[in-house]
Amino acid sequence: MAKDEIFGPFIDWYLNLIEKDFSVELTPQTIKEKEFVNAVWAIDPYEQKMAPHKSTLKVIARLLGGGFSKVHPIYVCPKSDQGLGEARNQMQNFMMFLDLGDTEPFHVYSEPSSDRSERVEKVLNIAHEHNAKVVLLTSHGRSSLGATFLGSFARDLLNKSDIPIIFINPHTSSYVVSDKVMFATDFSEQSKVAFQEFLNLVRGKTSEIILCHVLSFPYEYVDAYGMSMPLLNYYREDQKEWAEREAQRWIKEAEGKDINIRLNNIMEESLSAPAHSIKAIAEREKVALIGLVSHVGPIEKLVIGSVTRDLMSSQKFNLWVCGPRFGS
């Protein structure tokens, strides 16, 4: 039997395989998936219970371009008497437990001051040094009362940061692997700027973005006798029409930038706090990430509450949040 008859079919199969491998079309989306996002992950290695579940890490990895190779894990020691050697050992064990694959080398920094704001500034300075696009953080999700008396590193970091923060859900859920994300907005100018940044992060890494707006009305539109109140109903309809126009304008502008993602609009009326409706929509749609803006500072939060704080307290969602200093 001739050599061509023996090796011919194998050679043809091999050449076809090579052609298939090299004929993959490099679309803007596939290129984007290869771009890893620079990030700083502020870790407390002594909080083992704050380590995210593996399913959550898969979502975060996808949002960062497919892995953690451009993530800089850091720990800022809160006390001068805490040994750096012990802290490094704790950090090494924590990183091994997370099993992230390739990352930048972790660093442990000593911050002698007991002032929490000093450690917050240290994290932000490191993030700027690495040109980080996001800061990763897991939070206890304390209630407003707990944050008032115990303080919150996460709250202070959000209020001072001009970089978006991803608050990683330390728990797991059945829908964390979803390919959907959601952006909750009040259609303010700051929210619009944050939405553009959010699009840049998720482009090429998700298939659907839900644009969510909650029309919050704290009272019923009927009087004591069950009769409708025309003035309030008129205001209600006017707000709905305005929100619908804004939503369509945002979607049209986003589609004009060829983001290659399906955008859906969900508008919901609520007689309760907006955070309640946002959580309900996120659970119903099974979104893997919620993007939003936190407008107010620490003093206002004590008085009027915060959608961001309420979502963090639930510890059910991954949150991408821009603080009040973002874009300043």
Side-chain angles (χ1 to χ4, degrees):
M1 183 180 292
K3 290 183 178 180
D4 290 344
E5 293 178 355
I6 298 175
F7 297 105
F10 175 79
I11 293 173
D12 291 340
W13 171 82
Y14 182 70
L15 291 175
N16 287 334
L17 181 64
I18 292 176
E19 281 187 2
K20 288 180 181 178
D21 287 346
F22 284 92
S23 63
V24 175
E25 183 182 358
L26 288 177
T27 65
Q29 181 172 348
T30 58
I31 293 173
K32 187 69 178 179
E33 289 172 345
K34 300 296 183 182
E35 295 179 3
F36 292 101
V37 176
N38 279 353
V40 164
W41 190 345
I43 292 174
D44 184 348
Y46 290 88
E47 291 280 2
Q48 290 287 343
K49 62 183 178 180
M50 300 301 292
H53 191 270
K54 288 184 178 180
S55 59
T56 302
L57 291 175
K58 287 182 180 179
V59 173
I60 302 301
R62 188 179 78 227
L63 295 170
L64 297 178
F68 295 92
S69 63
K70 290 295 183 181
V71 170
H72 302 261
I74 65 170
Y75 172 51
V76 179
C77 292
K79 297 179 182 178
S80 58
D81 59 349
Q82 188 174 44
L84 284 178
E86 178 193 345
R88 291 191 185 99
N89 289 335
Q90 285 290 120
M91 191 69 165
Q92 185 173 6
N93 293 335
F94 195 89
M95 295 298 296
M96 289 178 62
F97 176 79
L98 289 179
D99 191 23
L100 301 178
D102 292 334
T103 67
E104 294 290 336
F106 71 81
H107 287 90
V108 176
Y109 300 90
S110 177
E111 181 52 63
S113 173
S114 59
D115 186 357
R116 187 173 63 247
S117 64
E118 297 285 344
R119 289 183 285 129
V120 167
E121 291 292 343
K122 183 72 172 181
V123 170
L124 292 177
N125 288 337
I126 296 169
H128 284 115
E129 288 174 8
H130 292 294
N131 193 29
K133 299 302 180 185
V134 291
V135 175
L136 307 178
L137 190 72
T138 51
S139 171
H140 288 279
R142 291 192 179 101
S143 64
S144 57
L145 186 63
T148 301
F149 289 100
L150 301 176
S152 169
F153 182 87
R155 181 197 64 192
D156 287 1
L157 183 64
L158 178 60
N159 283 330
K160 291 186 176 183
S161 179
D162 57 350
I163 303 171
I165 298 174
I166 292 182
F167 295 101
I168 304 173
N169 173 25
H171 306 296
T172 186
S173 65
S174 59
Y175 54 87
V176 77
V177 294
S178 168
D179 199 31
K180 292 182 183 178
V181 298
M182 184 171 82
F183 188 84
T185 179
D186 59 359
F187 295 117
S188 65
E189 192 59 34
Q190 186 182 9
S191 187
K192 183 178 180 180
V193 173
F195 181 58
Q196 301 302 320
E197 187 75 10
F198 186 72
L199 289 177
N200 289 332
L201 174 72
V202 302
R203 180 183 298 178
K205 302 156 191 170
T206 189
S207 62
E208 181 176 349
I209 299 176
I210 297 171
L211 190 62
C212 170
H213 177 69
V214 176
L215 292 163
S216 183
F217 301 107
Y219 37 72
E220 294 283 357
Y221 294 97
V222 294
D223 60 19
Y225 300 97
M227 302 295 290
S228 64
M229 303 175 70
L231 182 60
L232 292 180
N233 280 326
Y234 173 80
Y235 172 76
R236 171 186 176 185
E237 292 302 318
D238 183 61
Q239 288 296 299
K240 287 173 65 176
E241 290 179 6
W242 168 79
E244 186 63 38
R245 287 196 304 269
E246 287 298 299
Q248 293 305 318
R249 184 167 65 88
W250 280 34
I251 290 174
K252 186 176 181 180
E253 290 180 5
E255 290 175 340
K257 296 182 179 180
D258 191 27
I259 63 168
N260 199 24
I261 302 174
R262 185 173 66 229
L263 285 113
N264 288 329
N265 174 33
I266 291 182
M267 190 161 48
E268 190 162 301
E269 295 180 56
S270 174
L271 299 177
S272 58
H276 179 77
S277 294
I278 293 172
K279 285 188 283 187
I281 295 170
E283 290 181 340
R284 184 179 72 227
E285 298 295 329
K286 297 180 171 29
V287 300
L289 179 73
I290 301 175
L292 70 159
V293 167
S294 178
H295 293 286
V296 296
I299 296 177
E300 294 91 333
K301 284 185 181 181
L302 299 181
V303 180
I304 64 176
S306 163
V307 172
T308 303
R309 186 200 64 215
D310 291 345
L311 291 173
M312 287 173 58
S313 297
S314 69
Q315 291 197 320
K316 290 183 177 181
F317 312 101
N318 297 311
L319 303 177
W320 179 95
V321 189
C322 287
R325 293 191 180 182
F326 174 75
S328 60

